[in-house]
Amino acid sequence: MDITELTVHELIEKLDKKELTSEEITKSYLDRIEEKEKDVQAFITVTNKETAIEKAKEEDIKMKTNRTLLQGIPVGIKDNMCTKGVKTTCASKMLENFVSPYNATVVDKINDAGMISLGKLNMDEFAMGSSTEYSYFHKTYNPWDLKRVPGGSSGGSAAAVAANLVPWALGSDTGGSIRQPASLCGVVGLKPTYGLVSRYGLVAFASSLDQIGPLTKDVTDSALMLNLIAGCDKKDSTSANIEKKDYTKSLVKDVKGMKIGLPKEFLGEGINEEVKNAVLDAANKYKELGAEVEECSLDLGNQVLAVYYIIACAEASSNLGRFDGIRYGYRSENYDNLKDIYKNSRSEGFGEEVKRRIILGTYVLSSGYYDAYYKKAQKVRTIIRDKYSELFKNYDLILTPTSPTVAFKVGEKSSNPLEMYLEDICTVPVNIAGLPGMNIPYTLNKEGMPIGIQLIGNYFKEEDIFKAAYTLEQDIKFREKYKPEFRK
């Protein structure tokens, strides 16, 4: 038995039956990291082997008297979530040696559950990118084909789960940064409703768009992780105070009576033909399983990407202003005065993509342009939300592609920012509206690369997504049919 092939709920079952110990599980994953990390390069920081095994031994002792559900299960954490005593770099030179003095709320929840952190996972710098090629430290590679990208910005998290380097991981999603890499790596990725999961301790990119969520091997594991991390947090003013739910209760193979909308605009120009066919096939599969699926219209025009990049870059410009070379983070050695410290520290500490977005964000917030760009983008954002709300009067869920393409080759789009931005076309509307969305791995294309489909739910209706995703997953059995091949 290869322990690293097991899902989290299978690991829990074996721990309950005393067929495995946390020490055995943790050691198996650390051995797997030693074997495959050199090819995938999913981590920025790997937890010291002795430290992780010692922690696992402690949890094994505790479990003998008082076992909790997720106790002793390893996990990976995207490197933009603060971890006390461990580097939190955001894959940037600016924070290369920053050690957080506190934990993010989600990290506290992981620790309180008795889970074992295997390390911090690679990402695009400050979560700005769609390929994990914009990390200061190194690129991450797709386990299905090591010549291709894993997607981004949570590419390290997605690749680590797909390559069985971790059983599951946390990512963050600002414009698709969980769902798009999940699609490209053939794993399940959930972006919860904005406000369902605390953002306290998540290094901010765009505060009104960012959301933490799980990347997992299957839908059941996703529900288990959301059960843990969801909930109101007084430390986060945008945290929603809603009743706690058990999402595992929605894992029922039954979509009879469920109404699913299929927006025709998401299957038009720019969507790869094999991706389009996979979504249409999934729609037919849902019909066979008893759901009502019908074509609908969600005409968001050409404004979606413009709205997203105006708002996201404006908020990034504001949020990243704190990195000034004075209080913490990188400081240039080349300066004669205060202005030089600011200018040179930021010029040397930030990568090209981050600088590009800061400049764009500063421009749209500047005097004379605020009303023309930022204010107008916020007005269009309200229109986009209203269009989704109208659609959800008639449908329980919306079915679309997750990514317009499968994983592309390393270097293929990194020199063309506009082409890279188009990778987010199917995912950014969900963040603009604050809705929940999930990628479900569906099939492979003719080159053997994963194709995912996206289910979008109404506000705080994650249970509908879980029910439909679980039903489809049990029918198509993606994980049983396909495994990453680490092609070189």
Side-chain angles (χ1 to χ4, degrees):
M1 176 183 64
D2 183 350
I3 292 171
T4 65
E5 285 280 345
L6 301 175
T7 60
V8 169
H9 57 92
E10 288 169 340
L11 291 173
I12 291 169
E13 187 179 334
K14 292 196 175 294
L15 283 169
D16 285 342
K17 292 179 178 177
K18 296 184 171 49
E19 293 174 5
L20 283 176
T21 64
S22 176
E23 182 184 353
E24 289 171 328
I25 295 167
T26 303
K27 190 176 183 303
S28 293
Y29 275 102
L30 290 167
D31 289 345
R32 177 75 174 178
I33 290 168
E34 284 184 6
E35 178 192 357
K36 292 294 185 182
E37 170 62 6
K38 64 183 182 297
D39 295 324
V40 181
Q41 296 185 40
F43 285 85
I44 291 176
T45 303
V46 178
T47 303
N48 175 272
K49 191 169 187 176
E50 287 72 26
T51 303
I53 291 173
E54 195 57 42
K55 166 73 171 161
K57 287 179 180 177
E58 290 174 13
E59 296 304 329
D60 280 330
I61 292 169
K62 290 177 187 176
M63 280 190 272
K64 289 177 181 177
T65 54
N66 186 25
R67 166 110 172 87
T68 57
L69 184 65
L70 302 179
Q71 196 169 2
I73 301 292
V75 65
I77 301 166
K78 186 176 178 180
D79 205 14
N80 60 349
M81 297 171 206
C82 288
T83 42
K84 187 176 181 179
V86 180
K87 283 184 183 180
T88 299
T89 72
C90 291
S92 177
K93 183 178 181 180
M94 183 61 79
L95 291 174
E96 182 177 7
N97 296 305
F98 174 67
V99 178
S100 174
Y102 69 97
N103 280 328
T105 295
V106 290
V107 175
D108 273 338
K109 289 186 175 186
I110 280 171
N111 291 340
D112 291 345
M115 292 164 68
I116 320 292
S117 172
L118 296 181
K120 305 297 287 294
L121 294 158
N122 199 22
M123 54 185 281
D124 287 298
E125 184 183 6
F126 284 104
M128 298 181 192
S130 303
S131 64
T132 316
E133 292 175 282
Y134 298 137
S135 169
Y136 168 68
F137 299 100
H138 53 254
K139 295 177 177 66
T140 295
Y141 300 94
N142 195 311
W144 295 82
D145 183 341
L146 297 169
K147 297 186 293 294
R148 296 176 186 259
V149 302
S153 64
S154 304
S157 298
V161 174
N164 292 331
L165 305 182
V166 294
W168 55 5
L170 289 180
S172 67
D173 193 311
T174 307
S177 289
I178 288 173
R179 290 159 291 148
Q180 186 254 12
S183 177
L184 271 51
C185 289
V187 298
V188 174
L190 172 69
K191 181 256 169 203
T193 305
Y194 183 80
L196 183 62
V197 178
S198 172
R199 291 184 301 109
Y200 178 76
L202 173 70
V203 179
F205 162 15
S207 304
S208 74
L209 301 165
D210 299 340
Q211 188 60 74
I212 293 170
L215 291 109
T216 58
K217 294 179 181 180
D218 70 0
V219 175
T220 302
D221 285 359
S222 187
L224 286 169
M225 179 60 89
L226 190 62
N227 276 354
L228 176 69
I229 63 175
C232 188
D233 180 13
K234 291 177 182 178
K235 296 175 183 175
D236 176 6
S237 63
T238 61
S239 179
N241 188 10
I242 67 162
E243 186 181 348
K244 190 87 171 164
K245 298 177 182 177
D246 180 359
Y247 296 102
T248 61
K249 290 181 178 177
S250 304
L251 302 174
V252 180
K253 191 177 177 182
D254 180 18
V255 289
K256 291 181 178 66
M258 193 171 267
K259 293 194 72 175
I260 301 174
L262 185 66
K264 59 187 178 184
E265 291 84 1
F266 281 74
L267 297 172
E269 188 180 350
I271 306 298
N272 174 276
E273 196 65 25
E274 288 180 285
V275 172
K276 177 182 174 180
N277 290 338
V279 174
L280 292 173
D281 190 69
N284 288 329
K285 183 68 70 177
Y286 271 121
K287 287 180 184 176
E288 291 172 14
L289 292 166
E292 294 179 45
V293 183
E294 61 182 42
E295 187 181 89
C296 61
S297 178
L298 182 59
D299 186 7
L300 304 177
N302 299 318
Q303 301 100 334
V304 170
L305 280 179
V307 168
Y308 171 76
Y309 279 100
I310 288 170
I311 293 171
C313 292
E315 293 182 9
S317 169
S318 176
N319 280 324
L320 271 61
R322 73 192 70 179
F323 303 112
D324 53 13
I326 302 292
R327 288 163 289 187
Y328 60 94
Y330 175 81
R331 178 187 289 187
S332 173
E333 295 179 359
N334 177 28
Y335 62 88
D336 295 318
N337 52 53
L338 186 62
K339 188 175 180 181
D340 281 351
I341 292 179
Y342 290 159
K343 180 181 176 183
N344 295 337
S345 296
R346 288 167 174 165
S347 295
E348 296 165 20
F350 289 133
E352 292 303 311
E353 180 62 25
V354 172
K355 286 189 273 195
R356 184 183 294 120
R357 297 198 194 195
I358 289 172
I359 290 167
L360 177 58
T362 305
Y363 176 78
V364 301
L365 289 175
S366 61
S367 178
Y369 296 102
Y370 178 90
D371 286 351
Y373 292 104
Y374 186 72
K375 189 175 180 181
K376 190 178 288 184
Q378 291 288 16
K379 287 180 177 178
V380 178
R381 182 183 199 169
T382 301
I383 292 170
I384 291 169
R385 282 176 174 162
D386 289 345
K387 286 187 176 182
Y388 274 108
S389 294
E390 280 298 310
L391 214 53
F392 281 117
K393 289 178 181 177
N394 299 315
Y395 302 104
D396 300 302
L397 295 168
I398 298 166
L399 171 64
T400 74
T402 306
S403 170
T405 66
V406 296
F408 46 92
K409 295 201 172 155
V410 173
E412 188 177 324
K413 299 186 180 184
S414 54
S415 60
N416 187 337
L418 289 177
E419 194 174 351
M420 188 74 83
Y421 295 167
L422 288 169
E423 284 297 308
D424 300 331
I425 190 68
C426 298
T427 51
V428 294
V430 175
N431 297 79
I432 291 169
L435 294 162
M438 178 186 279
N439 174 74
I440 303 111
Y442 189 73
T443 188
L444 303 185
N445 77 343
K446 61 187 176 186
E447 295 177 311
M449 297 306 297
I451 297 173
I453 62 159
Q454 179 175 220
L455 286 175
I456 304 165
N458 206 347
Y459 297 104
F460 302 107
K461 289 284 191 178
E462 277 78 2
E463 58 268 33
D464 289 344
I465 295 177
F466 280 118
K467 189 175 183 180
Y470 180 80
T471 301
L472 185 67
E473 177 188 73
Q474 296 302 303
D475 191 81
I476 61 174
K477 301 189 183 303
F478 179 90
R479 285 192 73 247
E480 292 179 21
K481 293 179 186 174
Y482 310 117
K483 286 182 173 37
E485 296 178 0
F486 296 87
R487 295 190 295 272
K488 293 185 178 180

